[in-house]
Amino acid sequence: MSQQTVTSDLALSGAYGDSLAEVYDQLYPVTAGVEQCVGVLAELAGEGGSALEFGVGTGRIAIPLAARGVRVTGIDSSSKMLGVLRSNDPGATVDTVHATFGGLDLDRRFDLVAGVFNALCCAPTQDEQIEVLRVMRRHLAPGGRIVLETFEPGRHHTRRMTETVTHPLGPGAVLMEQTQIVPEGQLMFLLNTMIDGGTPRVAAGFMRYVWPAELDLMARLAGLRVRERWGGWDRGQLTADSPMYVTVLVDEAS
Ligand SMILES: C[S@@+](CC[C@H](N)C(=O)[O-])C[C@H]1O[C@@H](n2cnc3c(N)ncnc32)[C@H](O)[C@@H]1O
């Protein structure tokens, strides 16, 4: 399998992904939830189907999805994340494209287009998120599905205090993750500080969170419609307590 490089006028920096690449798999190990997610994606892609993952990262989802027989292509703007993916995938079962979401045109269509673990929230404005949805639609095969996983904003939107979570990373190393909400922009700022004995390294970035009803409307503006909505990968109902939600979209013409 191959790696291509695509450039885009709407390029965002891959710096944040780059800063997390070396510890990402420790921070976000493969859990039962990941396996459930992969099972749902494999079913939606269909037997021997094709999938395009936006923000493929280290391949945490893409590699087990490929192991289930899905032909997976992953795009990411972080060359370091893609470097980790390649070492996690010695058999090169996943095709990778080094590119940003905005303006992407691979001139190919896929049975499944996936943006899991808040990929859509990486686009920093509402207009750019609608553009990402249009780009996803452009890559959708007839009858295909777009699947988005986004965090449920309710618990965060009214929070005024900085939240700090520390992730121990082995002897003498810790990653401190601080988040601060800017409600008027629906923004969650993230500040990661890596402390491992040398000079502490800091990386900052932000995500724009999305309300379910807002996502429905943005999808319509992008020529899509909501087919299903769940409060988790177990396909349970979305409730006020759901930490995230999953949205399945189809082309409005289908
Ligand atoms: C939270 S990680 C998710 C990785 C993987 N999907 C997973 O679940 O483990 C988000 C990924 O999206 C990438 N990313 C963020 N913004 C992007 C953009 N505008 N274009 C392409 N990739 C982007 C980051 O580099 C990072 O690897």
Side-chain angles (χ1 to χ4, degrees):
M1 301 261 175
S2 63
Q3 159 135 0
Q4 285 174 254
T5 297
V6 173
T7 55
S8 158
D9 289 335
L10 296 178
L12 288 184
S13 158
Y16 190 74
D18 281 353
S19 71
L20 278 185
E22 71 182 281
V23 294
Y24 186 86
D25 289 341
Q26 262 178 288
L27 287 177
Y28 304 109
V30 173
T31 58
V34 168
E35 280 162 24
Q36 214 167 28
C37 160
V38 170
V40 171
L41 297 181
E43 190 186 313
L44 291 172
E47 188 77 34
S50 57
L52 176 63
E53 188 185 354
F54 278 57
V56 68
T58 62
R60 193 176 66 119
I61 306 292
I63 295 170
L65 188 59
R68 290 187 183 230
V70 178
R71 289 167 289 124
V72 185
T73 299
I75 67 167
D76 206 290
S77 56
S78 163
S79 53
K80 286 198 178 160
M81 283 285 206
L82 292 177
V84 176
L85 186 155
R86 280 192 295 278
S87 57
N88 288 344
D89 184 29
T93 62
V94 174
D95 275 338
T96 57
V97 181
H98 184 214
T100 55
F101 305 153
L104 184 81
D105 188 354
L106 298 178
D107 199 22
R108 281 179 60 196
R109 288 170 184 263
F110 299 81
D111 300 307
L112 174 75
V113 175
V116 300
F117 208 25
N118 306 313
L120 183 66
C121 302
C122 293
T125 65
Q126 193 178 56
D127 281 348
E128 285 168 277
Q129 290 179 342
I130 294 168
E131 165 66 4
V132 171
L133 292 171
R134 290 197 176 110
V135 169
M136 288 180 158
R137 179 177 177 231
R138 178 187 296 155
H139 291 90
L140 204 56
R145 302 274 187 276
I146 295 172
V147 180
L148 301 172
E149 176 193 11
T150 36
F151 70 87
E152 213 294 315
R155 180 173 85 78
H156 302 280
H157 187 63
T158 52
R159 169 157 69 82
R160 295 294 168 267
M161 303 289 284
T162 300
E163 193 174 271
T164 303
V165 178
T166 49
H167 303 272
L169 294 171
V174 69
L175 181 91
M176 199 168 71
E177 182 185 71
Q178 294 176 291
T179 55
Q180 172 84 49
I181 301 297
V182 181
E184 57 274 27
Q186 293 180 207
L187 299 178
M188 176 185 278
F189 276 88
L190 298 107
L191 183 72
N192 285 333
T193 308
M194 174 69 86
I195 302 164
D196 58 6
T199 305
R201 299 185 296 288
V202 173
F206 65 89
M207 294 196 286
R208 180 182 185 276
Y209 51 86
V210 183
W211 300 95
E214 179 193 17
L215 179 51
D216 298 353
L217 191 56
M218 291 198 297
R220 280 172 59 190
L221 291 171
L224 298 162
R225 70 182 159 81
V226 177
R227 169 99 184 208
E228 290 184 84
R229 156 105 0 98
W230 306 311
W233 290 110
D234 60 359
R235 304 184 209 223
Q237 204 181 340
L238 172 63
T239 70
D241 295 326
S242 306
M244 51 74 113
Y245 61 99
V246 179
T247 307
V248 182
L249 302 168
V250 293
D251 195 298
E252 66 184 354
S254 69

